[in-house]
Amino acid sequence: MDFGLQLASLPAKQLLETARNAEAWGYAALYVPDHWVYERQGGGGLDDTANSWEATTILGAIAAVTSKARIGALVLCNLYRHPGTTAQSIVTLDHVSGGRAMLGIGSGWTKAEFDMMGMEFPEVKPRLRKLAEAVRIIKSLWGESRTSFNGEFYHLDNALIVPKPVQQPHPPVMLGGSGKGILRIAAREADHVNIISDAGRAGTILMTEVAKVTEDAFKAKIDFVRTEANAAGRNPDAITFSSTIFLPMITDSTEKGDEFAAGMGGAFGLTPAQVKRMPMTLIGTPDECVAELKRREREWGTKHYIMSGFGGPGLAERFAREIAPKV
């Protein structure tokens, strides 16, 4: 198992310093969100205090201050960019980073951002169909000398991008989400599937949806992707499964961890034991966190976990020093 760190909300210079440090701490991948503005954690509208950088630009800066870690977005919003622009951006990142770029991409989900900017925010089904077309186009632009495509949303005529990516056949593609629609696309197209709560249908993060991503639900989603991959003629073992730890709590005693889990359980309608086994949480002492991560790898088959950047650099460093080396 290896670990990634999401870098979010920090001032630009501090973000780049944290990226450089995170690589030294041992993080194998560095991610950034892709939003005009973040939602406030736990709801409450858009956050007018958190720095939100344009994803592809800041990834280029991260590439310049690192040398080993994989770099990508968690995840690019397909509605913001034409797939030709996305394909070219990732190729550029792949070359300036020496072959370390990833394409993380999703259908878009924060409706309030689109309302704010006066942009259309389609229903989830057409958003997913548009994403499916975009991923096919991006892969073709990366791999084929010319691409012609006549779809529902995109129309390309003998299109090309030069140069091709450093990584062959292409940079890894990661799709993230929870609903069956996005997971079907991921089963056909993704090298990496990051399973989180469903926000696409509602256009926001609802605590009721977060509460649904229990251990059993998470394992069922992995099984669903594997079944769909088989049906599409792909080897499901070639897909990396991961989750983002949005709610980490590293404690100095078991009792403090139990207290935190009980508080969350009251909000989610789950027992403390269920909360501790949720893929989006990691709660307990360092030794308890190590044991839980080993259990998840053994029982779920997860090979990659992403630490949310909203916990700050201090938590990221503690996790890297006290937990990650022991897993």
Side-chain angles (χ1 to χ4, degrees), residues 201-281:
R201 192 173 299 277
T204 187
I205 295 176
L206 300 174
M207 289 300 104
T208 52
E209 291 298 322
V210 174
K212 290 178 182 177
V213 189
T214 61
E215 175 179 32
D216 288 343
F218 186 79
K219 291 191 291 185
K221 292 177 189 298
I222 290 176
D223 290 343
F224 177 81
V225 173
R226 292 178 64 87
T227 299
E228 291 287 318
N230 264 320
R234 296 189 66 202
N235 178 7
D237 292 337
I239 299 174
T240 296
F241 292 96
S242 72
S243 185
T244 301
I245 301 173
F246 287 106
L247 297 168
M249 176 57 67
I250 305 172
T251 64
D252 295 324
S253 70
T254 298
E255 291 74 21
K256 287 184 179 179
D258 290 344
E259 182 180 345
F260 182 76
M264 283 185 58
F268 289 158
L270 301 171
T271 67
Q274 287 175 315
V275 168
K276 284 189 170 185
R277 287 173 171 251
M278 291 177 74
M280 290 183 288
T281 70

Side-chain angles (χ1 to χ4, degrees), residues 36 77 79-80 107-116 118-124 126-127 199-204:
W36 283 310
C77 174
L79 298 179
Y80 290 169
S107 62
W109 63 268
T110 314
K111 184 177 184 299
E113 291 182 276
F114 289 81
D115 292 344
M116 173 186 73
M119 280 188 65
E120 180 185 2
F121 186 72
E123 294 296 320
V124 66
R127 266 185 283 145
R201 192 173 299 277
T204 187

